[in-house]
Amino acid sequence: MPDETVARTSRTRSWWGWGWVDSHPDDAECMALGALVPGTLARPLPLPEVAGLRIGSPAVDAPRSLAHLVTYDPEARAAHARGKAYRDVTRALRGRPGRIPDLVACPARDQDVADLLEWAGEQQVAVIPYGGGSSVVGGVEYRGGEHRAVMSLDLTAMNQVLEIDTDSRAARIQAGVLGPDLEGQLRPHGLTLRHFPQSFEFSTLGGWLATRAGGHYATVRTHIDDFAQSLRVVTPAGTSASWRLPASGAGPSPDRLFLGSEGSLGVITEAWMRLQERPRHKASASVSFAEFRTALGAVRALAQSDLAPANCRLLDPGEAALSGAAEDGSAVLVLGFESSTGPVEGRLDQALELARAHGGRTGAGATGPGAPADEAVGAWRSAFLRMPYLRDGLARMGAVTETFETATTWDRLPALIDAVRTEVGAAAFKATGHPAIVNCRLTHVYPDGAAPYFTVIAAGRPGDEVAVWDDLKAVAGDVLHRHRATVTHHHAVGRDHRPHYDLQRPELFARVLRAAKEVLDPGGVLNPGVLVDSRKAPGDMCC
């Protein structure tokens, strides 16, 4: 792990786009990508410079007692101004980054967090908790106007595994640790959290917990919730620390209040997390289907079996072609199994037999020691890791390119997918005059339903790309709501999903959330506008 850490720290993160600066497509690759989408720009937009943002002086200065925890550096402030959604990237490219934080605070311990929150409450400074900054729903951006100033609270200095209980196979971990560094600290003990969202390299444990992030497993243990044993949360009203237990029936769970609270109720500073032994046995294979609907039946049968594949991703023909998994118009199912205790080839064989019974055509078979590689599996895996960089390359060409995900029950799933493809595609054509690509894949599956994940690629209107996407997103949200599909399966609500989250969330529960926020955050400074408005906010109904 030391060599891996050195390699990470020697590279430069992009302040405006996804990931590492040295992994972004160059101008030639951007132009090649743009050629695939009719109506895009002739040349890529220039890379933005922080100096071009004209960042003003901060509206506040931290007191001397906190000065060692904060920075006013313009580049740090610009990098903390927004997440990594398409609209964030495009606004940066167009020089419209939104509200820049006045300062960035980097606490090193719980008391630092408490002191910063106390000062922020006294001064009416909005506090935006920040982990890796990989939010794609406007979760780390200030869009209000009622606060005197804005502070980004960067937790990444709190990045240690503090304690490991090998008997119970659990660890006490600080919330600011990034995914690779967390796994590096667990590896010498032969343990792993085994939670790998696509943002793994650039997101933190606290961010996963605060957003109820989905991860590596396509079945059974799909969300970070499944690994959380207890939480420690610092709020303006005090600190909440739940007991560490394997299970409990003692009333509503305090952890459930903060899991998914997106920094609006408190700042998660550490957690006890359930671990597992590192898997030693893995096998994977792909299955192709002539018809996507037939493939849905196969995936439902797998989800309702007891095979529990770790990976069970179904790509529609468009998504399969985009990832290089298939170019013949087939839908492709990527299957994977893993275990720390014994071989998994037998479970894979059973899954493949089930898929064949539903019309699937199997490929090269299992990948493992001495087994031939499955080209479709390899192509999908490479495309999965590269896709956010290609999105940014298309954004530089003026394309509208974004994803959104949801979940619904099996009986509603086919009609939902058809409606999204039809209505979002029609809206894109109306907005741009060019046909759009609307692809779908299933990322997580359950006995009672699945999580479809949509990719939208269309030409934009030069200089007006964000408005085009906002219109398409509104159409997509209306479709999801009409089909009673959740506004998000694992990307959190943030600010981008608020309008349709407000429709999905029962109003009685909204009143409970407002009351909880008033108790935990009486000054209304924690991540304003996320999940629910304060009862004291102008225009918001009192409960």
Side-chain angles (χ1 to χ4, degrees), residues 420-431 438 472:
V420 168
R421 286 172 173 157
T422 300
E423 296 185 39
V424 173
F429 186 81
K430 180 179 180 181
V438 184
L472 297 185

Side-chain angles (χ1 to χ4, degrees), residues 31 33 59 83 85 100 111 128 130 154 174 179 221 257 263 273 379 389 400 403 438 455 484 491 533:
M31 293 176 68
L33 290 168
I100 303 289
Q111 189 59 53
I128 314 296
Y130 189 100
D154 187 320
Q174 289 184 305
R221 294 173 291 186
L257 178 64
M273 302 299 296
Y389 293 102
V400 173
T403 61
V438 184
T455 299
R484 295 184 70 82
H491 276 162
D533 295 327

Side-chain angles (χ1 to χ4, degrees), residues 129-447:
Y130 189 100
S134 62
S135 171
V136 292
V137 293
V140 293
E141 171 186 1
Y142 181 77
R143 294 183 190 169
E146 67 274 20
H147 293 85
R148 178 184 175 196
V150 179
M151 175 173 68
S152 178
L153 187 68
D154 187 320
L155 275 293
T156 53
M158 301 175 68
N159 58 11
Q160 296 300 305
V161 174
L162 301 173
E163 186 177 350
I164 294 180
D165 175 357
T166 55
D167 288 340
S168 303
R169 222 164 52 181
R172 182 165 66 97
I173 307 166
Q174 289 184 305
V177 64
L178 290 160
D181 297 331
L182 169 57
E183 288 295 321
Q185 292 180 62
L186 296 175
R187 188 175 293 113
H189 303 273
L191 297 171
T192 176
L193 181 60
R194 203 76 183 143
H195 180 80
F196 298 130
Q198 188 177 34
S199 62
F200 170 76
E201 194 174 8
F202 307 107
S203 54
T204 64
L205 173 64
W208 303 339
L209 294 165
T211 60
R212 298 185 65 195
H216 166 72
Y217 291 101
T219 64
V220 188
R221 294 173 291 186
T222 60
H223 282 69
I224 194 66
D225 312 29
D226 301 312
F227 303 100
Q229 195 178 53
S230 70
L231 303 182
R232 184 175 179 85
V233 185
V234 177
T235 82
T239 297
S240 171
S242 60
W243 284 17
R244 178 180 160 232
L245 297 166
S248 174
S253 165
D255 293 338
R256 288 286 173 180
L257 178 64
F258 296 107
L259 285 166
S261 63
E262 302 185 34
S264 64
L265 302 180
V267 180
I268 299 171
T269 58
E270 64 179 59
W272 273 97
M273 302 299 296
R274 299 180 177 94
L275 307 177
Q276 50 195 303
E277 293 182 14
R278 304 187 71 81
R280 296 181 292 115
H281 305 274
K282 299 181 183 180
S284 60
S286 66
V287 186
S288 59
F289 294 84
E291 300 290 338
F292 184 67
R293 284 192 176 237
T294 303
L296 287 177
V299 173
R300 178 166 61 86
L302 281 165
Q304 293 174 348
S305 74
D306 61 356
L307 294 173
N311 194 7
C312 188
R313 295 186 181 240
L314 176 62
L315 318 178
D316 75 1
E319 195 74 5
L322 190 65
S323 67
E327 298 180 357
D328 60 357
S330 297
V332 174
L333 172 61
V334 178
L335 283 171
F337 289 83
E338 60 184 47
S339 171
S340 62
T341 57
V344 293
E345 284 78 11
R347 286 159 58 200
L348 177 61
D349 288 342
Q350 292 181 62
L352 294 176
E353 182 178 351
L354 191 156
R356 284 191 291 266
H358 284 77
R361 305 186 303 275
T362 54
T367 60
D374 187 312
E375 293 183 3
V377 173
W380 164 79
R381 186 175 292 115
S382 297
F384 178 75
L385 297 174
R386 183 65 177 153
M387 196 58 67
Y389 293 102
L390 300 182
R391 180 207 63 180
D392 288 2
L394 280 166
R396 288 188 62 198
M397 296 303 298
V400 173
T401 171
E402 186 57 295
T403 61
F404 62 94
E405 35 72 46
T406 182
T408 193
T409 52
W410 288 111
D411 59 316
R412 296 189 178 109
L413 187 63
L416 169 69
I417 293 173
D418 288 347
V420 168
R421 286 172 173 157
T422 300
E423 296 185 39
V424 173
F429 186 81
K430 180 179 180 181
T432 68
H434 295 279
I437 297 170
V438 184
N439 294 336
C440 177
R441 64 185 185 270
L442 302 188
T443 60
H444 301 78
V445 296
Y446 306 90

Side-chain angles (χ1 to χ4, degrees), residues 95-106:
R96 307 166 189 162
R99 180 68 159 84
I100 303 289
D102 295 272
L103 66 163
V104 177
C106 301

